[in-house]
């Protein structure tokens, strides 16, 4: 499959909130016109433009997607300025996702539960907020392992972070078989388990407090929990740096497990290497990145996303 070319060599790699506020008409005058962006601080590393520009091109849609740097102080006004500058929508990444939730005029329930918006649709003067990380993860899981989240007993590492919370909320919305939350700072895992447990009440054998639990990040506790799990997810930052240790030691892993690492940079993390060495099925976070992006595209354009063009653009990075 051919890799779509970059949209325009004239376009700077990062725009600023100041440009959006002081020159809102600039974006429509570029060729192609800028209609979508990702806000972040920092944002220069984001590979979302490659994926979304490939999608626009594959669908023959006008416009282009750029990186837009905004500080925490600049972000509220910059998000509000999208409508005037002719944007269709935006993605939001670290650290602005909670702020985007507060700014949007309408927010879907899932994003509210996550406490974070990663996708904004400009609807006239109105900003509508969504969070596609959880449903993107569900699609990634189906693609990688041919399984449904709702059928699984899940052990989630890094439950206290933004990605961890989004996945935990999705587990609760889907009422997966069992969810065990683990976090470096255990009080966050405990608080989230308490918050989500009522959503697990059903006529199944286990009660809500047995189906949604938390555990300490110690080898003994993890060994006990892994014995009751089908799927282990790493949503912590461990594995992002090349020098990071494995999120779990090899001797805790067994061949019956599915192991998903949300880290997508650098291919195989030490956790995935350990999982494969144990005979487990393992996948990295590129598929989650792809599917959360595809869902954002569907939100903006109300049509299915060109997955293969988007995947090829991500893999080329
Ligand atoms: P975040 O909000 O900053 O959360 C970081 C999480 O990692 C927290 O739970 C934190 O625990 C934990 N952590 C950090 N250093 C740790 C260490 N040395 N040992 C154990 N736990 C540690 O970040 P985020 O946005 O959720 O991102 C977390 C991961 O998800 C990253 O690897 C990122 O690449 C990945 N992610 C992937 C996608 C995708 O589409 N594939 C999307 C979003 C994020 P404390 O609460 O104790 O600080």
């Amino acid at each position: 499959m051919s890799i779509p070319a970059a949209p325009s060599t004239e376009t700077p790699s990062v725009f600023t909130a100041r440009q959006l506020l002081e020159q809102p008409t600039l974006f429509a005058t570029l060729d192609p016109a800028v209609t979508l962006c990702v806000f972040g601080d920092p944002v220069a590393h984001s590979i979302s433009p490659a994926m979304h520009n490939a999608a626009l091109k594959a669908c023959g849609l006008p416009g282009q997607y750029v990186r837009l740097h905004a500080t925490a102080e600049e972000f509220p006004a910059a998000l509000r300025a999208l409508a005037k500058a002719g944007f269709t929508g935006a993605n939001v990444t670290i650290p602005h996702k909670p702020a985007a939730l507060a700014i949007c005029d309408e927010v879907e329930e899932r994003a509210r539960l996550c406490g974070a918006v990663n996708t904004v649709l400009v609807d006239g003067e109105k900003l509508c907020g969504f969070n596609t990380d959880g449903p993107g993860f569900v699609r990634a899981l189906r693609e990688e392992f041919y399984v449904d989240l709702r059928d699984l007993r899940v052990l989630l590492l890094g439950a206290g972070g933004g990605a961890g919370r989004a996945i935990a909320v999705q587990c609760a919305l889907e009422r997966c078989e069992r969810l065990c939350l683990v976090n470096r700072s255990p009080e966050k895992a405990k608080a989230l388990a308490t918050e989500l447990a009522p959503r697990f009440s059903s006529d199944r054998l286990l009660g809500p407090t047995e189906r949604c639990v938390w555990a300490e990040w110690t080898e003994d506790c993890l060994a006990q929990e892994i014995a009751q799990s089908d799927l282990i997810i790493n949503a912590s930052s461990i594995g992002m740096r090349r020098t990071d240790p494995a999120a779990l030691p090899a001797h805790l892993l067994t061949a019956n497990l599915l192991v998903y690492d949300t880290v997508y940079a650098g291919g195989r993390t030490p956790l995935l290497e350990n999982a494969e060495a144990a005979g487990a099925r393992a996948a990295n976070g590129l598929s989650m990145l792809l599917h959360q992006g595809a869902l954002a595209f569907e939100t903006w354009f109300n049509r299915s996303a060109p997955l293969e063009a988007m995947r090829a653009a991500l893999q080329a990075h």
Side-chain angles (χ1 to χ4, degrees), residues 74-314:
E74 293 168 331
F75 178 66
L79 192 62
R80 281 257 151 249
L82 288 182
K84 198 171 165 195
F87 278 62
T88 303
N91 281 134
V92 181
T93 188
I94 285 176
H96 302 315
K97 292 183 188 185
L101 174 80
I103 297 161
C104 283
D105 304 297
E106 284 177 12
V107 176
E108 60 160 0
E109 193 210 355
R110 182 194 345 266
R112 215 169 271 297
L113 284 172
C114 290
V117 157
N118 78 338
T119 300
V120 177
L121 171 70
V122 179
D123 181 10
E125 292 294 305
K126 217 168 50 186
L127 297 175
C128 306
F130 304 86
N131 194 310
T132 65
D133 281 338
F137 175 72
V138 171
R139 286 192 184 182
L141 214 55
R142 270 194 214 121
E143 182 180 289
E144 300 279 9
F145 301 135
Y146 309 103
V147 292
D148 273 321
L149 184 58
R150 65 173 58 116
D151 298 328
L152 301 175
R153 298 169 300 164
V154 176
L155 176 65
L156 177 59
L157 304 174
R165 186 176 173 96
I167 292 171
V169 163
Q170 192 66 33
C171 288
L173 291 173
E174 307 245 344
R175 293 194 184 181
C176 71
E177 200 61 41
R178 184 173 186 271
L179 174 63
C180 177
L181 303 174
V182 178
N183 199 57
R184 176 178 60 179
S185 319
E187 66 281 0
K188 292 189 201 167
K190 186 179 179 185
L192 188 56
T194 306
E195 181 188 335
L196 296 180
R199 294 185 171 267
F200 283 81
S201 60
S202 74
D203 53 5
R204 295 198 206 192
L205 224 49
L206 295 174
T209 50
E210 295 151 300
R211 286 181 59 206
C212 182
V213 299
W214 70 281
E216 299 273 357
W217 195 319
T218 64
E219 195 157 321
D220 282 355
C221 291
L222 288 171
Q224 263 185 31
E225 292 301 331
I226 288 171
Q228 306 181 65
S229 302
D230 308 303
L231 169 68
I232 297 177
I233 305 161
N234 176 40
S236 83
S237 313
I238 303 181
M240 285 183 84
R241 287 179 300 260
R242 286 194 183 281
T243 52
D244 280 351
L248 290 174
H251 65 267
L252 288 184
L253 300 172
T254 47
N256 60 306
L257 292 166
L258 305 173
V259 179
Y260 192 94
D261 199 332
T262 66
V263 173
Y264 52 82
R268 280 356 233 165
T269 60
L271 170 65
L272 296 182
E273 282 168 8
N274 284 351
E276 283 174 352
R281 287 154 74 196
N284 84 356
L286 208 64
S287 48
M288 178 177 167
L289 183 70
L290 169 69
H291 286 288
Q292 64 77 32
L295 284 158
F297 186 93
E298 289 171 18
T299 302
W300 296 322
F301 297 108
N302 198 23
R303 60 181 286 176
S304 59
L307 269 186
E308 293 321 312
M310 296 172 85
R311 192 192 314 273
L314 283 180

